[in-house]
């Protein structure tokens, strides 16, 4: 169980009562007269996200009141309970009433206390939570662990997280769950027909690689995850401006999401044959860098003209997707911090997803709202595919029009998937620009918990 959680039924915990403007008077009336007077004296108002610590006669913490949105409010933050730990003293707490979704609130309570401590130690003592009655503590723990794992990977700067270190993280995960992990590294990529992964990573002294994790009974349905593992992206010869390079340690956020989801699947022991593929590279600048105008083959056999070296994510993904597709999995899902256009369209909190599977899209949208990991479907709009045409190759890696960048990137990837029964592409941001409930500023695992909920419903 997660170190911030205690088993259901643990005694000695301080109660936390969730209140709205309409329920606050009743909650207040149940307190002793001096405590009611205290609430009046401090001027507590049950606003969403606001907590008040109510003392007993000796000055110790007796109870906590925490404001949440009223049922039917125009906007309800699904992870609002993540604001609670920062407003209460260290100690052990329990939910005294229903917060609306106790499992989601418990997850937020834990993940809201995440801190990246590799280089700067956190001094604050944590608030602990008794697993609410009826909540699967193991599931909350697994989701929180996966989230922390993904956040740690994204938050680690590129000097300490290159392709080899990303591979090491996957190998550690494989060892934990007794999965088989192999890799194809450096020049071996050319020998084993992964020319695009090699081309993108060729300029860096840190060798590119394709990391391959396999777990589960081979007779179970095949579920394959692919994560973009660009550990740092300079833009290549189409060099990014310095301001655009500041967050490029997060360009492996798709790999982090896929790794986190793989952990959840294996920890829950879902009856699937899981495969995780991570093309891990650094898009650097040197005499060995690939150039605008170059033409490369791909694993699938299609040739690609390089219109822009800063559209490298789709290049490493296309070789990995082609490999994954060869097995015809029941579900092939890729995660990638692929386009700025996705952020322009939907902002940092709402990743667009693409699929031809209407049922999967419906299930995923509902699951995302239920677990507080929202996604939004955008169309694979075929008329835009012509923008990827090339006069000298089968396709270009970018369009020249400058419109619908996320859609055309998805259309590029679609060319490399034929046999999979369902394919899903998530264009994630992988970053929280400013603190939000349950989501501290920094790296974030997006779309993975939503997809896990779908997989658990289908296969669990």
């Amino acid at each position: 169980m997660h170190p911030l959680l205690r088993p259901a039924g643990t005694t000695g915990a301080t109660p936390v009562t969730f209140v709205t403007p309409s329920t606050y008077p009743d909650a207040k009336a149940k307190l002793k007269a001096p405590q009611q007077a205290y609430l009046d004296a401090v001027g507590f108002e049950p606003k969403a996200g606001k907590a008040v610590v109510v003392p007993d006669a000796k000055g110790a913490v007796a109870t906590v009141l925490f404001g949440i949105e009223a049922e039917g409010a125009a906007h309800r933050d699904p992870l609002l309970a993540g604001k609670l730990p920062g407003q209460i003293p260290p100690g052990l707490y329990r939910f005294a009433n229903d917060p609306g979704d106790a499992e989601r609130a418990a997850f937020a309570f834990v993940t809201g206390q995440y801190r990246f401590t590799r280089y700067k130690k956190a001094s604050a003592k944590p608030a602990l939570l008794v697993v609410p009655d009826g909540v699967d503590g193991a599931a909350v723990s697994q989701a929180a662990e996966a989230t922390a794992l993904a956040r740690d990977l994204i938050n680690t700067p590129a000097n300490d997280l290159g392709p080899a270190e990303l591979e090491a993280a996957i190998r550690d995960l494989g060892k934990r769950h007794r999965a088989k992990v192999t890799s194809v590294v450096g020049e071996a990529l050319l020998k084993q027909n992964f020319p695009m992964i090699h081309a993108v990573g060729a300029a860096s002294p840190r060798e590119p690689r394709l990391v391959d994790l396999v777990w589960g009974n081979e007779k179970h349905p095949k579920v394959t995850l692919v994560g973009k593992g660009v550990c740092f992206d300079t833009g290549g010869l189409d060099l990014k401006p310095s301001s655009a390079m500041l967050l490029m340690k997060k360009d492996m956020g798709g790999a982090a999401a896929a790794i986190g989801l793989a952990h959840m699947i294996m920890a829950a022991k879902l009856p699937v044959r899981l495969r995780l593929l991570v093309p891990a590279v650094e898009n650097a600048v040197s005499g060995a860098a690939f150039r605008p105008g170059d033409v490369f083959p791909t694993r699938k056999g299609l040739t690609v003209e390089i219109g822009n070296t800063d559209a490298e994510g789709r290049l490493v993904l296309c070789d990995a997707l082609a490999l994954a597709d060869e097995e015809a999995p029941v579900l092939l899902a890729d995660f990638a911090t692929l386009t700025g256009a996705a952020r322009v369209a939907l902002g940092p909190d709402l990743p667009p997803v693409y699929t031809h599977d209407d049922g999967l899209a419906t299930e995923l949208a509902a699951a995302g709202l239920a677990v507080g990991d929202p996604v939004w479907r955008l169309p694979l709009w075929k008329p835009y595919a012509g923008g990827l045409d090339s006069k000298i190759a089968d396709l270009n890696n970018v369009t020249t029009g400058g419109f619908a960048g996320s859609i055309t990137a998805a259309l590029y990837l679609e060319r490399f998937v034929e046999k999979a029964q369902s394919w899903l592409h998530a264009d994630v941001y992988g970053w929280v620009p400013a603190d939000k409930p349950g989501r501290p500023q920094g790296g974030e695992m997006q779309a993975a918990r939503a997809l896990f909920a779908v997989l658990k419903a289908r296969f669990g």
Side-chain angles (χ1 to χ4, degrees), residues 187-237:
E187 295 301 310
L189 290 164
L190 294 176
K191 296 178 182 178
Q192 297 190 39
N193 194 22
F194 301 106
M196 275 303 193
I197 300 173
H198 181 272
V200 173
S204 174
R206 308 162 95 175
E207 289 185 301
R209 64 203 62 217
L210 177 65
V211 188
D212 189 345
L213 177 150
V214 177
W215 172 90
N217 189 326
E218 62 183 12
K219 296 180 180 180
H220 288 160
K222 290 184 174 67
V223 172
T224 301
L225 312 177
V226 178
K228 173 187 169 184
V230 178
C231 296
F232 193 82
D233 181 20
T234 65
L237 292 179

Side-chain angles (χ1 to χ4, degrees), residues 300-375:
K300 190 175 179 61
L302 298 173
T303 55
V304 177
E305 180 184 8
I306 306 302
N308 192 308
T309 63
D310 195 20
E312 85 299 330
R314 65 199 70 182
L315 300 177
V316 299
L317 284 173
C318 72
D319 272 356
L321 284 171
L323 172 64
D325 192 58
E326 291 166 11
E327 287 190 325
V330 296
L331 175 63
L332 171 56
D334 73 80
F335 299 80
T337 52
L338 208 60
T339 70
R343 315 288 79 80
V344 173
L346 298 178
D349 301 341
L350 190 60
V353 293
Y354 299 86
T355 181
H356 290 296
D357 187 334
D358 293 339
L360 175 62
T362 300
E363 290 177 56
L364 190 68
L369 291 176
V371 301
D373 186 22
V375 297

Side-chain angles (χ1 to χ4, degrees), residues 22 85 91 142 262 377 390:
S22 62
Q142 291 157 12
R377 187 187 191 184
S390 166

